[in-house]
Short mmCIF file of all heavy atoms in Angstrom, two decimals:
data_model
loop_
_atom_site.label_atom_id
_atom_site.label_comp_id
_atom_site.label_asym_id
_atom_site.label_seq_id
_atom_site.Cartn_x
_atom_site.Cartn_y
_atom_site.Cartn_z
N MET A 266 96.01 85.55 104.86
CA MET A 266 94.72 86.17 104.77
C MET A 266 94.59 86.65 103.26
O MET A 266 95.45 87.37 102.83
CB MET A 266 94.66 87.38 105.75
CG MET A 266 93.30 87.99 105.87
SD MET A 266 93.19 89.09 107.33
CE MET A 266 94.76 89.92 107.37
N ARG A 267 93.54 86.18 102.67
CA ARG A 267 93.36 86.57 101.21
C ARG A 267 92.04 87.44 101.08
O ARG A 267 91.01 87.23 101.79
CB ARG A 267 93.15 85.37 100.30
CG ARG A 267 94.35 84.53 100.26
CD ARG A 267 94.00 83.25 99.54
NE ARG A 267 95.05 82.29 99.67
CZ ARG A 267 95.99 82.11 98.65
NH1 ARG A 267 95.88 82.84 97.54
NH2 ARG A 267 97.01 81.27 98.89
N PHE A 268 92.07 88.33 100.21
CA PHE A 268 90.87 89.15 99.88
C PHE A 268 91.08 89.80 98.45
O PHE A 268 92.18 89.73 97.95
CB PHE A 268 90.62 90.22 100.93
CG PHE A 268 91.83 90.99 101.39
CD1 PHE A 268 92.15 92.16 100.76
CD2 PHE A 268 92.63 90.45 102.46
CE1 PHE A 268 93.28 92.84 101.08
CE2 PHE A 268 93.67 91.29 102.88
CZ PHE A 268 94.01 92.41 102.17
N PRO A 269 90.03 90.23 97.91
CA PRO A 269 90.10 90.79 96.57
C PRO A 269 91.07 91.89 96.37
O PRO A 269 91.11 92.78 97.26
CB PRO A 269 88.63 91.20 96.21
CG PRO A 269 87.72 90.43 97.15
CD PRO A 269 88.65 90.29 98.37
N LEU A 270 91.70 91.96 95.34
CA LEU A 270 92.64 93.04 95.01
C LEU A 270 91.78 94.05 94.20
O LEU A 270 91.48 93.84 93.06
CB LEU A 270 93.83 92.58 94.13
CG LEU A 270 94.84 93.67 93.75
CD1 LEU A 270 95.36 94.30 94.98
CD2 LEU A 270 96.00 93.01 92.96
N THR A 271 91.68 95.20 94.79
CA THR A 271 90.84 96.26 94.20
C THR A 271 91.81 97.35 93.62
O THR A 271 92.88 97.51 94.14
CB THR A 271 89.82 96.89 95.12
OG1 THR A 271 90.50 97.52 96.16
CG2 THR A 271 88.94 95.74 95.68
N ALA A 272 91.22 98.17 92.75
CA ALA A 272 91.89 99.30 92.24
C ALA A 272 92.18 100.25 93.38
O ALA A 272 93.25 100.88 93.39
CB ALA A 272 91.18 99.99 91.12
N GLN A 273 91.29 100.48 94.30
CA GLN A 273 91.41 101.34 95.39
C GLN A 273 92.72 100.90 96.28
O GLN A 273 93.53 101.73 96.75
CB GLN A 273 90.23 101.42 96.23
CG GLN A 273 90.31 102.32 97.40
CD GLN A 273 89.13 102.41 98.42
OE1 GLN A 273 88.08 101.67 98.04
NE2 GLN A 273 89.22 103.17 99.35
N LEU A 274 92.75 99.61 96.52
CA LEU A 274 93.87 99.08 97.38
C LEU A 274 95.19 99.34 96.67
O LEU A 274 96.22 99.71 97.27
CB LEU A 274 93.68 97.57 97.66
CG LEU A 274 94.87 96.96 98.39
CD1 LEU A 274 95.17 97.64 99.68
CD2 LEU A 274 94.51 95.47 98.67
N VAL A 275 95.20 99.05 95.36
CA VAL A 275 96.53 99.21 94.63
C VAL A 275 96.85 100.82 94.63
O VAL A 275 98.04 101.08 94.85
CB VAL A 275 96.27 98.84 93.09
CG1 VAL A 275 97.51 99.26 92.26
CG2 VAL A 275 96.09 97.33 93.05
N ASP A 276 95.94 101.62 94.53
CA ASP A 276 96.18 103.09 94.57
C ASP A 276 96.60 103.55 95.94
O ASP A 276 97.66 104.23 96.03
CB ASP A 276 94.86 103.88 94.17
CG ASP A 276 95.05 105.25 94.33
OD1 ASP A 276 95.97 105.82 93.57
OD2 ASP A 276 94.35 105.97 95.06
N GLU A 277 96.03 102.99 96.97
CA GLU A 277 96.43 103.42 98.31
C GLU A 277 97.72 102.77 98.71
O GLU A 277 98.45 103.40 99.41
CB GLU A 277 95.29 102.99 99.34
CG GLU A 277 94.04 103.84 99.18
CD GLU A 277 92.93 103.44 100.14
OE1 GLU A 277 93.09 102.46 100.78
OE2 GLU A 277 91.94 104.18 100.17
N ALA A 278 98.03 101.59 98.25
CA ALA A 278 99.32 100.97 98.45
C ALA A 278 100.49 101.89 97.93
O ALA A 278 101.57 102.00 98.60
CB ALA A 278 99.37 99.60 97.89
N ARG A 279 100.29 102.38 96.81
CA ARG A 279 101.26 103.25 96.17
C ARG A 279 101.33 104.62 96.92
O ARG A 279 102.38 105.03 97.23
CB ARG A 279 100.95 103.53 94.68
CG ARG A 279 101.15 102.28 93.88
CD ARG A 279 101.21 102.72 92.36
NE ARG A 279 101.51 101.45 91.56
CZ ARG A 279 100.60 100.88 90.73
NH1 ARG A 279 99.40 101.41 90.60
NH2 ARG A 279 100.84 99.84 90.13
N ARG A 280 100.21 105.23 97.15
CA ARG A 280 100.22 106.51 97.75
C ARG A 280 100.77 106.55 99.16
O ARG A 280 101.39 107.47 99.55
CB ARG A 280 98.77 107.10 97.76
CG ARG A 280 98.35 107.62 96.35
CD ARG A 280 97.17 108.51 96.47
NE ARG A 280 95.93 107.78 96.81
CZ ARG A 280 95.08 108.17 97.78
NH1 ARG A 280 95.30 109.31 98.44
NH2 ARG A 280 94.03 107.47 98.08
N PHE A 281 100.42 105.54 99.89
CA PHE A 281 100.81 105.59 101.30
C PHE A 281 102.07 104.62 101.55
O PHE A 281 102.48 104.35 102.73
CB PHE A 281 99.63 105.05 102.16
CG PHE A 281 98.53 105.97 102.11
CD1 PHE A 281 97.25 105.48 101.63
CD2 PHE A 281 98.58 107.26 102.59
CE1 PHE A 281 96.11 106.30 101.56
CE2 PHE A 281 97.49 108.12 102.45
CZ PHE A 281 96.22 107.63 101.96
N GLU A 282 102.63 104.12 100.49
CA GLU A 282 103.87 103.30 100.55
C GLU A 282 103.71 102.13 101.45
O GLU A 282 104.50 101.90 102.28
CB GLU A 282 105.11 104.22 100.91
CG GLU A 282 105.30 105.34 99.91
CD GLU A 282 106.61 106.04 100.22
OE1 GLU A 282 107.32 105.66 101.17
OE2 GLU A 282 106.89 107.04 99.61
N LEU A 283 102.58 101.42 101.23
CA LEU A 283 102.29 100.22 102.04
C LEU A 283 103.44 99.26 101.82
O LEU A 283 104.01 99.04 100.80
CB LEU A 283 101.05 99.58 101.46
CG LEU A 283 100.61 98.23 102.11
CD1 LEU A 283 100.08 98.49 103.46
CD2 LEU A 283 99.53 97.53 101.23
N ARG A 284 103.74 98.56 102.94
CA ARG A 284 104.74 97.52 103.01
C ARG A 284 104.14 96.22 103.61
O ARG A 284 103.69 96.30 104.70
CB ARG A 284 106.01 97.88 103.81
CG ARG A 284 106.74 99.11 103.36
CD ARG A 284 107.44 98.77 102.05
NE ARG A 284 108.19 99.94 101.50
CZ ARG A 284 107.63 100.67 100.57
NH1 ARG A 284 106.53 100.44 100.03
NH2 ARG A 284 108.41 101.65 100.15
N SER A 285 103.93 95.24 102.78
CA SER A 285 103.24 94.02 103.32
C SER A 285 103.83 92.68 102.76
O SER A 285 103.46 91.62 103.20
CB SER A 285 101.79 94.11 102.88
OG SER A 285 101.72 94.06 101.49
N ALA A 286 104.83 92.88 101.85
CA ALA A 286 105.38 91.56 101.28
C ALA A 286 106.54 91.13 102.01
O ALA A 286 107.13 91.83 102.86
CB ALA A 286 105.73 91.84 99.86
N CYS A 287 106.89 89.84 101.77
CA CYS A 287 108.02 89.24 102.48
C CYS A 287 109.34 90.10 102.43
O CYS A 287 110.06 90.11 103.32
CB CYS A 287 108.29 87.89 101.84
SG CYS A 287 106.90 86.68 102.10
N ARG A 288 109.53 90.74 101.19
CA ARG A 288 110.80 91.44 101.02
C ARG A 288 111.01 92.55 102.13
O ARG A 288 112.14 93.01 102.47
CB ARG A 288 110.88 92.05 99.73
CG ARG A 288 109.92 93.09 99.46
CD ARG A 288 110.02 93.75 98.09
NE ARG A 288 109.48 95.06 98.18
CZ ARG A 288 109.76 96.05 97.40
NH1 ARG A 288 110.60 95.86 96.38
NH2 ARG A 288 109.25 97.25 97.59
N ASP A 289 109.88 92.96 102.73
CA ASP A 289 110.00 94.00 103.69
C ASP A 289 109.73 93.49 105.15
O ASP A 289 109.56 94.22 106.11
CB ASP A 289 108.89 95.12 103.45
CG ASP A 289 109.27 95.87 102.10
OD1 ASP A 289 110.37 96.34 101.96
OD2 ASP A 289 108.39 95.99 101.29
N CYS A 290 109.80 92.11 105.36
CA CYS A 290 109.48 91.54 106.60
C CYS A 290 110.78 91.12 107.30
O CYS A 290 111.75 90.76 106.66
CB CYS A 290 108.62 90.22 106.29
SG CYS A 290 108.26 89.28 107.91
N LEU A 291 110.73 91.38 108.60
CA LEU A 291 111.88 91.07 109.43
C LEU A 291 112.25 89.55 109.23
O LEU A 291 113.46 89.29 109.53
CB LEU A 291 111.51 91.32 110.94
CG LEU A 291 112.53 91.06 112.00
CD1 LEU A 291 113.66 92.08 111.87
CD2 LEU A 291 111.91 91.21 113.35
N PHE A 292 111.37 88.71 109.03
CA PHE A 292 111.63 87.28 108.98
C PHE A 292 112.09 86.68 107.62
O PHE A 292 112.27 85.55 107.42
CB PHE A 292 110.31 86.52 109.50
CG PHE A 292 109.92 86.86 110.77
CD1 PHE A 292 108.68 87.34 111.05
CD2 PHE A 292 110.78 86.74 111.94
CE1 PHE A 292 108.24 87.75 112.28
CE2 PHE A 292 110.42 87.10 113.18
CZ PHE A 292 109.14 87.55 113.38
N TRP A 293 112.17 87.59 106.66
CA TRP A 293 112.64 87.19 105.32
C TRP A 293 114.16 87.17 105.26
O TRP A 293 114.89 88.04 105.61
CB TRP A 293 112.16 88.22 104.24
CG TRP A 293 112.56 87.84 102.88
CD1 TRP A 293 113.37 88.54 102.04
CD2 TRP A 293 112.04 86.73 102.13
NE1 TRP A 293 113.45 87.94 100.80
CE2 TRP A 293 112.70 86.84 100.82
CE3 TRP A 293 111.13 85.75 102.33
CZ2 TRP A 293 112.42 85.91 99.84
CZ3 TRP A 293 110.89 84.81 101.40
CH2 TRP A 293 111.59 84.88 100.17
N ARG A 294 114.60 86.00 104.83
CA ARG A 294 116.06 85.73 104.66
C ARG A 294 116.39 85.91 103.23
O ARG A 294 116.23 84.96 102.34
CB ARG A 294 116.41 84.24 105.19
CG ARG A 294 116.18 84.10 106.66
CD ARG A 294 116.63 82.75 107.08
NE ARG A 294 115.97 81.69 106.30
CZ ARG A 294 116.46 80.49 106.10
NH1 ARG A 294 117.60 80.19 106.47
NH2 ARG A 294 115.84 79.67 105.38
N ALA A 295 116.87 87.05 102.84
CA ALA A 295 117.11 87.35 101.48
C ALA A 295 118.10 86.41 100.86
O ALA A 295 117.98 86.03 99.61
CB ALA A 295 117.60 88.78 101.37
N ARG A 296 119.20 86.14 101.44
CA ARG A 296 120.15 85.24 100.83
C ARG A 296 119.64 83.94 100.45
O ARG A 296 119.85 83.36 99.36
CB ARG A 296 121.39 85.12 101.80
CG ARG A 296 122.55 84.48 101.16
CD ARG A 296 123.77 84.35 102.00
NE ARG A 296 124.18 85.69 102.51
CZ ARG A 296 125.12 85.91 103.35
NH1 ARG A 296 125.85 84.92 103.87
NH2 ARG A 296 125.42 87.06 103.77
N ALA A 297 118.80 83.38 101.36
CA ALA A 297 118.17 81.99 101.07
C ALA A 297 116.97 82.19 100.29
O ALA A 297 116.44 81.16 99.88
CB ALA A 297 118.01 81.31 102.39
N GLN A 298 116.42 83.37 100.15
CA GLN A 298 115.15 83.69 99.45
C GLN A 298 114.09 82.77 100.18
O GLN A 298 113.32 82.02 99.43
CB GLN A 298 115.24 83.32 97.96
CG GLN A 298 116.01 84.40 97.15
CD GLN A 298 115.37 85.80 97.15
OE1 GLN A 298 114.38 85.95 96.50
NE2 GLN A 298 115.95 86.73 97.86
N ALA A 299 114.04 82.85 101.49
CA ALA A 299 112.99 82.00 102.13
C ALA A 299 112.64 82.63 103.41
O ALA A 299 113.32 83.59 103.96
CB ALA A 299 113.70 80.68 102.55
N CYS A 300 111.47 82.24 103.92
CA CYS A 300 110.92 82.77 105.19
C CYS A 300 111.69 82.06 106.35
O CYS A 300 111.82 80.78 106.35
CB CYS A 300 109.44 82.52 105.24
SG CYS A 300 108.72 82.82 106.82
N LEU A 301 112.01 82.79 107.37
CA LEU A 301 112.70 82.21 108.56
C LEU A 301 111.78 81.10 109.15
O LEU A 301 112.33 80.08 109.78
CB LEU A 301 112.97 83.34 109.58
CG LEU A 301 113.77 82.87 110.79
CD1 LEU A 301 115.17 82.34 110.49
CD2 LEU A 301 113.88 84.01 111.76
N HIS A 302 110.46 81.36 109.08
CA HIS A 302 109.54 80.31 109.75
C HIS A 302 109.16 79.14 108.79
O HIS A 302 108.45 78.29 109.11
CB HIS A 302 108.24 81.10 110.12
CG HIS A 302 108.44 82.09 111.17
ND1 HIS A 302 109.03 81.85 112.40
CD2 HIS A 302 108.25 83.41 111.14
CE1 HIS A 302 109.10 83.01 113.06
NE2 HIS A 302 108.63 83.97 112.38
N GLY A 303 109.69 79.24 107.50
CA GLY A 303 109.47 78.19 106.52
C GLY A 303 108.16 78.21 105.97
O GLY A 303 107.69 77.26 105.33
N TRP A 304 107.48 79.37 106.00
CA TRP A 304 106.16 79.49 105.35
C TRP A 304 106.31 79.42 103.91
O TRP A 304 107.20 80.15 103.28
CB TRP A 304 105.43 80.81 105.77
CG TRP A 304 105.07 80.95 107.26
CD1 TRP A 304 105.33 81.97 108.11
CD2 TRP A 304 104.21 80.14 107.98
NE1 TRP A 304 104.83 81.78 109.26
CE2 TRP A 304 104.12 80.55 109.23
CE3 TRP A 304 103.61 78.89 107.65
CZ2 TRP A 304 103.42 80.01 110.26
CZ3 TRP A 304 102.86 78.22 108.71
CH2 TRP A 304 102.79 78.80 109.98
N PRO A 305 105.50 78.78 103.23
CA PRO A 305 105.45 78.72 101.72
C PRO A 305 104.88 80.02 101.19
O PRO A 305 104.13 80.87 101.90
CB PRO A 305 104.53 77.60 101.34
CG PRO A 305 103.58 77.47 102.48
CD PRO A 305 104.39 77.91 103.77
N ASP A 306 105.37 80.43 100.01
CA ASP A 306 104.77 81.73 99.47
C ASP A 306 103.45 81.41 98.80
O ASP A 306 103.33 80.69 97.79
CB ASP A 306 105.81 82.23 98.33
CG ASP A 306 105.32 83.55 97.79
OD1 ASP A 306 104.15 83.97 98.12
OD2 ASP A 306 106.08 84.17 97.00
N GLU A 307 102.41 81.92 99.41
CA GLU A 307 101.05 81.72 98.91
C GLU A 307 100.54 82.99 98.32
O GLU A 307 99.32 83.23 98.34
CB GLU A 307 100.12 81.08 100.04
CG GLU A 307 100.62 79.69 100.48
CD GLU A 307 99.69 79.05 101.44
OE1 GLU A 307 98.84 79.72 101.97
OE2 GLU A 307 99.83 77.79 101.57
N GLY A 308 101.39 83.84 97.92
CA GLY A 308 101.01 85.19 97.36
C GLY A 308 101.53 86.33 98.15
O GLY A 308 101.57 87.44 97.62
N GLN A 309 101.91 86.04 99.39
CA GLN A 309 102.41 87.18 100.25
C GLN A 309 103.77 87.68 99.86
O GLN A 309 104.19 88.78 100.26
CB GLN A 309 102.37 86.77 101.72
CG GLN A 309 103.49 85.90 102.18
CD GLN A 309 103.14 84.44 101.99
OE1 GLN A 309 102.26 84.08 101.22
NE2 GLN A 309 103.74 83.50 102.73
N GLY A 310 104.44 86.95 98.95
CA GLY A 310 105.72 87.43 98.50
C GLY A 310 105.67 88.37 97.30
O GLY A 310 106.72 88.99 96.95
N ARG A 311 104.50 88.44 96.69
CA ARG A 311 104.42 89.22 95.45
C ARG A 311 104.49 90.78 95.80
O ARG A 311 103.80 91.24 96.74
CB ARG A 311 103.18 88.85 94.76
CG ARG A 311 103.03 89.53 93.43
CD ARG A 311 101.65 89.27 92.74
NE ARG A 311 100.59 89.87 93.44
CZ ARG A 311 99.37 89.25 93.72
NH1 ARG A 311 99.28 87.95 93.36
NH2 ARG A 311 98.48 89.79 94.23
N TRP A 312 105.30 91.46 95.07
CA TRP A 312 105.33 92.87 95.11
C TRP A 312 105.70 93.54 93.81
O TRP A 312 106.71 93.04 93.16
CB TRP A 312 106.34 93.34 96.18
CG TRP A 312 106.13 94.83 96.55
CD1 TRP A 312 106.81 95.89 96.00
CD2 TRP A 312 105.03 95.32 97.41
NE1 TRP A 312 106.28 97.00 96.62
CE2 TRP A 312 105.21 96.71 97.35
CE3 TRP A 312 103.98 94.70 98.04
CZ2 TRP A 312 104.26 97.59 98.07
CZ3 TRP A 312 103.09 95.61 98.77
CH2 TRP A 312 103.30 96.92 98.75
N PRO A 313 105.07 94.51 93.32
CA PRO A 313 103.94 95.18 93.88
C PRO A 313 102.69 94.30 93.98
O PRO A 313 102.69 93.29 93.38
CB PRO A 313 103.78 96.43 93.05
CG PRO A 313 104.35 96.14 91.73
CD PRO A 313 105.49 95.18 92.07
N LEU A 314 101.66 94.77 94.68
CA LEU A 314 100.43 93.96 94.80
C LEU A 314 99.91 93.57 93.48
O LEU A 314 99.20 92.48 93.39
CB LEU A 314 99.42 94.80 95.63
CG LEU A 314 99.77 95.06 97.06
CD1 LEU A 314 98.66 95.86 97.71
CD2 LEU A 314 100.02 93.73 97.82
N ASP A 315 100.00 94.39 92.45
CA ASP A 315 99.35 94.06 91.22
C ASP A 315 100.32 93.56 90.14
O ASP A 315 100.06 93.55 89.00
CB ASP A 315 98.63 95.31 90.66
CG ASP A 315 99.57 96.50 90.46
OD1 ASP A 315 100.71 96.51 90.93
OD2 ASP A 315 99.11 97.50 89.80
N ALA A 316 101.48 93.04 90.59
CA ALA A 316 102.45 92.50 89.66
C ALA A 316 101.76 91.19 88.96
O ALA A 316 101.09 90.45 89.68
CB ALA A 316 103.70 92.02 90.33
N PRO A 317 102.05 91.03 87.70
CA PRO A 317 101.44 89.88 87.00
C PRO A 317 101.87 88.52 87.59
O PRO A 317 103.15 88.49 88.08
CB PRO A 317 101.75 90.02 85.60
CG PRO A 317 102.66 91.22 85.45
CD PRO A 317 102.77 91.85 86.90
N GLY A 318 101.10 87.60 87.52
CA GLY A 318 101.57 86.22 88.03
C GLY A 318 102.39 85.54 86.97
O GLY A 318 102.71 86.13 85.95
N PRO A 319 102.81 84.31 87.34
CA PRO A 319 103.65 83.55 86.35
C PRO A 319 103.02 83.37 84.99
O PRO A 319 103.80 83.22 83.98
CB PRO A 319 103.84 82.16 87.03
CG PRO A 319 103.40 82.41 88.47
CD PRO A 319 102.51 83.63 88.48
N ASP A 320 101.70 83.38 84.93
CA ASP A 320 101.13 83.22 83.62
C ASP A 320 100.91 84.56 82.89
O ASP A 320 100.31 84.60 81.84
CB ASP A 320 99.72 82.55 83.79
CG ASP A 320 98.74 83.31 84.69
OD1 ASP A 320 99.30 84.42 85.31
OD2 ASP A 320 97.68 82.93 84.89
N GLY A 321 101.38 85.65 83.49
CA GLY A 321 101.28 86.98 82.90
C GLY A 321 100.00 87.69 83.19
O GLY A 321 99.84 88.83 82.75
N ALA A 322 99.11 87.01 83.79
CA ALA A 322 97.78 87.54 84.06
C ALA A 322 97.77 88.49 85.27
O ALA A 322 98.44 88.14 86.25
CB ALA A 322 96.70 86.51 84.17
N PRO A 323 97.04 89.59 85.31
CA PRO A 323 97.03 90.45 86.45
C PRO A 323 96.28 89.67 87.61
O PRO A 323 95.26 88.96 87.34
CB PRO A 323 96.11 91.65 86.00
CG PRO A 323 95.36 91.21 84.83
CD PRO A 323 96.21 90.06 84.19
N PRO A 324 96.72 89.82 88.87
CA PRO A 324 96.09 89.08 89.97
C PRO A 324 94.71 89.69 90.31
O PRO A 324 94.56 90.89 90.15
CB PRO A 324 97.11 89.27 91.15
CG PRO A 324 97.80 90.56 90.71
CD PRO A 324 97.90 90.63 89.26
N THR A 325 93.84 88.88 90.91
CA THR A 325 92.57 89.25 91.33
C THR A 325 92.48 89.19 92.86
O THR A 325 91.55 89.69 93.38
CB THR A 325 91.47 88.40 90.74
OG1 THR A 325 91.67 87.02 91.05
CG2 THR A 325 91.46 88.53 89.20
N GLU A 326 93.46 88.61 93.52
CA GLU A 326 93.45 88.56 94.94
C GLU A 326 94.75 89.06 95.44
O GLU A 326 95.82 89.05 94.75
CB GLU A 326 93.30 87.08 95.38
CG GLU A 326 91.96 86.50 95.30
CD GLU A 326 91.94 85.12 96.00
OE1 GLU A 326 92.99 84.42 96.04
OE2 GLU A 326 90.85 84.81 96.47
N VAL A 327 94.68 89.33 96.75
CA VAL A 327 96.02 89.79 97.39
C VAL A 327 96.01 88.97 98.75
O VAL A 327 95.05 88.45 99.24
CB VAL A 327 96.00 91.27 97.83
CG1 VAL A 327 94.91 91.62 98.71
CG2 VAL A 327 97.37 91.66 98.37
N ALA A 328 97.32 88.66 99.06
CA ALA A 328 97.54 87.80 100.32
C ALA A 328 98.36 88.57 101.25
O ALA A 328 99.45 89.01 100.92
CB ALA A 328 98.17 86.46 99.99
N PHE A 329 97.98 88.61 102.46
CA PHE A 329 98.80 89.28 103.59
C PHE A 329 99.03 88.16 104.58
O PHE A 329 98.17 87.38 104.95
CB PHE A 329 98.04 90.44 104.33
CG PHE A 329 97.98 91.70 103.41
CD1 PHE A 329 97.26 92.73 103.85
CD2 PHE A 329 98.59 91.77 102.24
CE1 PHE A 329 97.26 93.99 103.17
CE2 PHE A 329 98.49 92.97 101.56
CZ PHE A 329 97.80 94.06 101.96
N CYS A 330 100.29 88.14 105.08
CA CYS A 330 100.71 87.18 106.06
C CYS A 330 100.47 87.72 107.50
O CYS A 330 100.84 88.85 107.80
CB CYS A 330 102.18 86.85 105.88
SG CYS A 330 102.89 85.81 107.09
N LYS A 331 99.91 86.98 108.37
CA LYS A 331 99.60 87.46 109.76
C LYS A 331 100.87 87.53 110.58
O LYS A 331 100.83 88.18 111.62
CB LYS A 331 98.61 86.48 110.38
CG LYS A 331 97.25 86.54 109.84
CD LYS A 331 96.26 85.67 110.57
CE LYS A 331 94.93 85.71 109.94
NZ LYS A 331 93.95 84.74 110.61
N GLU A 332 101.99 86.97 110.16
CA GLU A 332 103.26 87.12 110.92
C GLU A 332 104.14 88.19 110.40
O GLU A 332 105.25 88.34 110.89
CB GLU A 332 103.89 85.77 110.97
CG GLU A 332 103.20 84.75 111.82
CD GLU A 332 104.22 83.65 112.24
OE1 GLU A 332 105.34 83.76 112.26
OE2 GLU A 332 103.64 82.58 112.49
N PHE A 333 103.71 88.90 109.44
CA PHE A 333 104.57 90.02 108.86
C PHE A 333 104.91 90.92 109.97
O PHE A 333 104.05 91.43 110.78
CB PHE A 333 103.78 90.83 107.83
CG PHE A 333 104.48 91.98 107.26
CD1 PHE A 333 105.32 91.78 106.24
CD2 PHE A 333 104.40 93.27 107.84
CE1 PHE A 333 106.02 92.93 105.67
CE2 PHE A 333 105.06 94.32 107.35
CZ PHE A 333 105.88 94.17 106.26
N GLU A 334 106.29 91.28 110.02
CA GLU A 334 106.82 92.28 110.91
C GLU A 334 107.64 93.26 110.08
O GLU A 334 108.61 92.84 109.48
CB GLU A 334 107.69 91.71 112.01
CG GLU A 334 106.96 90.98 113.14
CD GLU A 334 106.25 91.91 114.05
OE1 GLU A 334 106.56 93.09 114.05
OE2 GLU A 334 105.35 91.47 114.67
N LEU A 335 107.34 94.46 110.09
CA LEU A 335 108.06 95.40 109.29
C LEU A 335 109.55 95.49 109.69
O LEU A 335 109.80 95.54 110.86
CB LEU A 335 107.43 96.83 109.44
CG LEU A 335 108.04 97.87 108.57
CD1 LEU A 335 107.85 97.57 107.05
CD2 LEU A 335 107.40 99.29 108.90
N ARG A 336 110.33 95.32 108.70
CA ARG A 336 111.84 95.38 108.93
C ARG A 336 112.23 96.74 109.32
O ARG A 336 111.82 97.77 108.93
CB ARG A 336 112.42 94.97 107.67
CG ARG A 336 113.94 94.90 107.56
CD ARG A 336 114.46 94.73 106.17
NE ARG A 336 113.92 93.59 105.49
CZ ARG A 336 114.50 92.36 105.32
NH1 ARG A 336 115.71 92.30 105.83
NH2 ARG A 336 113.89 91.47 104.67
S1 SF4 B 71 106.58 85.78 108.23
FE1 SF4 B 71 105.18 85.98 106.48
S2 SF4 B 71 105.59 87.96 105.51
FE2 SF4 B 71 107.33 87.43 106.83
S3 SF4 B 71 108.87 86.36 105.57
FE3 SF4 B 71 107.57 84.77 106.45
S4 SF4 B 71 105.86 84.43 105.04
FE4 SF4 B 71 106.73 86.34 104.42
#
């Protein structure tokens, strides 16, 4: 699920200690650096939400995975 990354969301993610990325998901296999279900990283692995992309540019979108389960 993708939607715009707003300043309000970044602020609330910090203040309320939001957990939404693969690293905090029950299905994340840290040793293999892969999802147990084999999902590709389409942005849901990025943390923090406003971390720059590979090109160094700030992101404009955020992606949440519908199968995320808090570890
Ligand atoms: S289920 Fe989704 S959030 Fe969890 S590790 Fe896999 S891709 Fe990441």
Side-chain angles (χ1 to χ4, degrees):
M266 188 166 40
R267 295 173 190 261
F268 45 91
L270 179 58
T271 63
Q273 180 181 0
L274 176 54
V275 171
D276 176 59
E277 290 180 352
R279 289 198 179 110
R280 285 194 292 133
F281 300 117
E282 299 185 8
L283 176 71
R284 298 290 178 261
S285 64
C287 294
R288 66 177 207 159
D289 294 307
C290 178
L291 180 68
F292 302 120
W293 182 246
R294 297 183 302 151
R296 190 176 303 174
Q298 290 292 292
C300 171
L301 182 65
H302 299 300
W304 295 125
D306 184 351
E307 296 184 344
Q309 73 273 25
R311 187 181 69 226
W312 195 261
L314 294 177
D315 58 346
D320 59 357
T325 58
E326 283 189 331
V327 64
F329 286 175
C330 175
K331 290 182 178 178
E332 288 201 23
F333 176 86
E334 284 289 340
L335 185 61
R336 178 189 309 256

